[in-house]
Amino acid sequence: AERLPATILISGLAMLFAYGVAIPIGIYSATHQYSLEDYALTVVGFVGLAVPAFLLCLIVMYLAFRYLGLTVGGLVSVEYLGKPLSWGMLLDGLGHLWIPVVVVAASGTASLIRVMRGCLLDELHKQYVVTARVKGVDERTLIYRYPVRVAINPIVSSVAWMLPEIVSGQTIVSIVLNLPTVGALLYRALINQDMYLAGSIVMVLSGL
């Protein structure tokens, strides 16, 4: 119960980030097929899929500390530990929160971009799109009113596999960043051979 709030917060924000970034990029990549931007976004997507979470976490931590001057690790700075909730603590938490959210969402965002791009490309070559274009429908209206609405259906259904992937994917990130989430608790339970706690967490992931 102590670990669930942070886990739900990071997982929820990571899902919002993943879908909020992946859908527009996927649409842009599909409507600008074989352009320089499409190739660049494809490369970024494959890098996001290929780079392990712990390595991406270390890179983001270094960049945040080196160039932004942000303290990394934990959800709040040391001076706020054990103190009651305040506006200063909330603002400080927001400064820490974006790093785990971006890292946890990176892999899911990259895969969703590929799915959105592929589904939209399938729709853009269908007869109803060609007919609407011939009739003189504005290109922007045409794209968003018809093919995008059809192509987005597989993206919406992907919540079923994204949710447990994001929750379980926090394990390594939470260890590297010292976050009070369920992932780190699962790791500690396995190390201590606490099968009741570990089994309960795995059961929740299976339910998700």
Side-chain angles (χ1 to χ4, degrees), residues 163-201:
L163 186 59
E165 181 181 291
I166 283 179
V167 174
S168 61
Q170 287 186 32
T171 303
I172 296 177
V173 176
S174 61
I175 293 170
V176 174
L177 287 175
N178 190 29
L179 300 174
T181 61
V182 172
L185 190 65
L186 172 60
Y187 175 75
R188 190 176 302 169
L190 292 172
I191 293 296
N192 296 331
Q193 297 186 16
D194 186 350
M195 292 300 106
Y196 294 104
L197 180 56
S200 299
I201 295 173

Side-chain angles (χ1 to χ4, degrees), residues 80-185:
Y80 288 106
L81 292 176
K83 292 187 177 180
L85 188 64
S86 63
W87 282 110
M89 183 183 290
L90 287 174
L91 294 175
D92 184 72
L94 290 175
H96 285 73
L97 195 59
W98 70 270
I99 295 177
V101 167
V102 169
V103 173
V104 170
S107 176
T109 303
S111 59
L112 286 173
I113 289 173
R114 307 306 303 160
V115 173
M116 185 68 201
R117 180 182 183 276
C119 292
L120 187 54
L121 283 175
D122 287 341
E123 294 299 320
L124 288 176
H125 297 98
K126 289 186 176 178
Q127 192 62 45
Y128 73 92
V129 177
V130 176
T131 303
R133 187 175 285 122
V134 170
K135 287 184 175 181
V137 178
D138 178 67
E139 188 68 18
R140 186 179 181 86
T141 304
L142 166 64
I143 295 296
Y144 285 95
R145 181 173 294 178
Y146 303 110
V148 166
R149 292 171 66 179
V150 177
I152 207 170
N153 286 325
I155 297 292
V156 174
S157 66
S158 65
V159 172
W161 55 264
M162 273 286 289
L163 186 59
E165 181 181 291
I166 283 179
V167 174
S168 61
Q170 287 186 32
T171 303
I172 296 177
V173 176
S174 61
I175 293 170
V176 174
L177 287 175
N178 190 29
L179 300 174
T181 61
V182 172
L185 190 65

Side-chain angles (χ1 to χ4, degrees), residues 11 35-36 42 52 69 71 107 136 162:
S11 299
S35 65
L36 182 62
T42 299
T71 55
S107 176
M162 273 286 289

